[in-house]
Amino acid sequence: MQELHDAPLAPLTTFRLGGPATRLVTATTDAEVIAAVREADDSGTPLLLIGGGSNLVIGDKGFAGTALLIATKGFALDGTRLELAAGEVWTDAVARTVEAGLAGVECLAGIPGSAGATPIQNVGAYGQEVSTTITDVVAYDRVTRETVTIPNAECAFSYRHSRFKADPERFVVLRVRFELEDAGGLSGPLRYAETARALGVEPGDRVPVDKARETVLKLRSGKGMVLDPEDHDTWSAGSFFTNPILTEEEFAAFHARVRERLGEGVEPPAYPAGQGHTKTSAAWLIDKAGFTKGYGSGPARISGKHTLALTNRGGATTEDLLALAREVVAGVREAFGITLVNEPVTVGVSL
């Protein structure tokens, strides 16, 4: 177990932002993860868990405590059953399932971060969410001080949410188990219209699973959503804001604001989101509020490829990023009466 003091955290995040940690511990086995967590808990030391760093906004002052980098490895495929160690690189794991001809996570290709983060956020894109394939999550419970196995039904999955995100101080994800589908080398039914269009098929159709993955990677790359050290549009956390889910009353008020601001003929994006609720597009809101691709003049700007990504153009500080985020939130609220919620976890700072 490697240990460093006054250790830079910015290189461990996809934003490349944030100050140092008092102490950085790198754990490569489940036992090392548990030992580091117990040590921090026993001594009352603040603990920050880091996986792929793709969903973290760390303050410029850094973290006064122990940062634990979970670097565990483990990919075990038995038929259609998959078990991943928390530290496995997610997009690499997806590639390996596709090579095996299995469906279920192929449309989640290119998403940065580690496998252990996927149940926390209920990671999803292009019509798939991990909640549909996860069977259970193995975690260390910091309250009972035991390793527990939590079945899917007890994970409280919802849109970009779970019991792990709701109670971040309790569970440390160690392993994630999935049940994939053997569809004879075909993908799962395509749920996302953009993906189906790009493949020249209808929503609900299946295609070769490798073609689905390739297409998603191309779509993501075109939006700056696949990591590339040379492309500052990917120095981000991907989607910075979640898509708002509105009640019927809230959507009616929003619809009225849209007509008032943009004209009678303009219809905002609207997707069913459970009984009495409608989901709309954060990217659309940002764009229509006047924050177009490339917006900004400083070192933190909106991506030139996608309005939902805030980026570090090089030399930015976390405060630069947060100033831009606050400007966007205020502008969307003023234009449409909706308050955007940040998707990345903030450490030592807040919007």
Side-chain angles (χ1 to χ4, degrees), residues 9 12-13 21 23-27 32-38 40-41 45-58 63 65-71 86 114 116-117 120 139-142 164 167-174 345-347:
L9 295 180
L12 302 180
T13 75
R23 177 172 173 256
L24 172 65
V25 173
T26 301
E32 288 181 353
V33 171
I34 293 169
V37 174
R38 282 180 173 168
D41 289 347
T45 303
L47 180 67
L48 170 63
L49 303 176
I50 301 177
S54 61
N55 203 45
L56 276 181
V57 177
I58 299 172
F63 182 71
T66 295
L68 173 57
L69 178 62
I70 299 177
S114 64
I120 298 171
Y140 175 68
D141 186 334
R142 296 169 70 182
F164 310 107
D167 192 0
E169 300 299 318
R170 180 164 183 180
F171 296 104
V172 180
V173 175
L174 301 174
V345 175
T346 56
V347 178

Side-chain angles (χ1 to χ4, degrees), residues 54-292:
S54 61
N55 203 45
L56 276 181
V57 177
I58 299 172
D60 293 317
K61 292 182 179 180
F63 182 71
T66 295
L68 173 57
L69 178 62
I70 299 177
T72 53
K73 296 297 176 187
F75 178 101
L77 188 60
D78 180 11
T80 55
R81 295 180 180 179
L82 172 66
E83 180 177 286
L84 297 177
E88 280 289 329
V89 176
W90 173 251
T91 194
D92 292 348
V94 171
R96 292 177 69 177
T97 68
V98 169
E99 287 171 8
L102 298 177
V105 293
E106 64 278 5
C107 292
L108 305 180
I111 294 176
S114 64
T118 60
I120 298 171
Q121 282 288 108
N122 185 17
V123 163
Y126 295 97
Q128 287 183 340
E129 288 183 330
V130 292
S131 59
T132 62
T133 51
I134 286 176
T135 57
D136 44 59
V137 176
V138 180
Y140 175 68
D141 186 334
R142 296 169 70 182
V143 173
T144 65
R145 298 174 66 87
E146 296 175 323
T147 299
V148 295
T149 299
I150 303 171
N152 180 297
E154 296 177 17
C155 291
F157 287 125
S158 60
Y159 173 65
R160 300 297 171 272
H161 203 68
S162 69
R163 72 179 296 184
F164 310 107
K165 188 173 182 178
D167 192 0
E169 300 299 318
R170 180 164 183 180
F171 296 104
V172 180
V173 175
L174 301 174
R175 297 185 171 269
V176 189
R177 295 173 180 152
F178 302 81
E179 180 65 45
L180 303 177
E181 180 187 9
D182 185 350
L186 296 179
S187 69
L190 297 173
R191 307 294 184 196
Y192 203 70
E194 184 183 14
T195 316
R197 279 197 305 272
L199 283 158
V201 298
E202 294 297 318
D205 288 350
R206 295 177 184 260
V207 298
V209 69
D210 59 334
K211 292 295 184 186
R213 174 179 173 271
E214 277 176 31
T215 299
V216 165
L217 286 173
K218 287 178 183 176
L219 291 171
R220 291 185 65 86
S221 293
K223 299 173 184 178
M225 297 291 187
V226 176
L227 293 180
D228 178 353
E230 304 303 316
D231 183 359
H232 283 277
D233 273 329
T234 74
W235 289 31
S236 76
S239 300
F240 195 87
F241 301 103
T242 56
N243 290 321
I245 295 177
L246 309 175
T247 64
E248 291 178 0
E249 283 187 6
E250 289 168 339
F251 189 81
F254 163 55
H255 201 191
R257 294 283 283 269
V258 169
R259 291 197 301 270
E260 178 185 325
R261 181 181 177 89
L262 303 176
E264 288 292 332
V266 178
E267 290 294 328
Y271 311 97
Q275 189 171 6
H277 290 81
T278 301
K279 180 166 67 176
T280 192
S281 165
W284 187 91
L285 290 166
I286 292 166
D287 180 70
K288 298 304 181 185
F291 303 100
T292 53

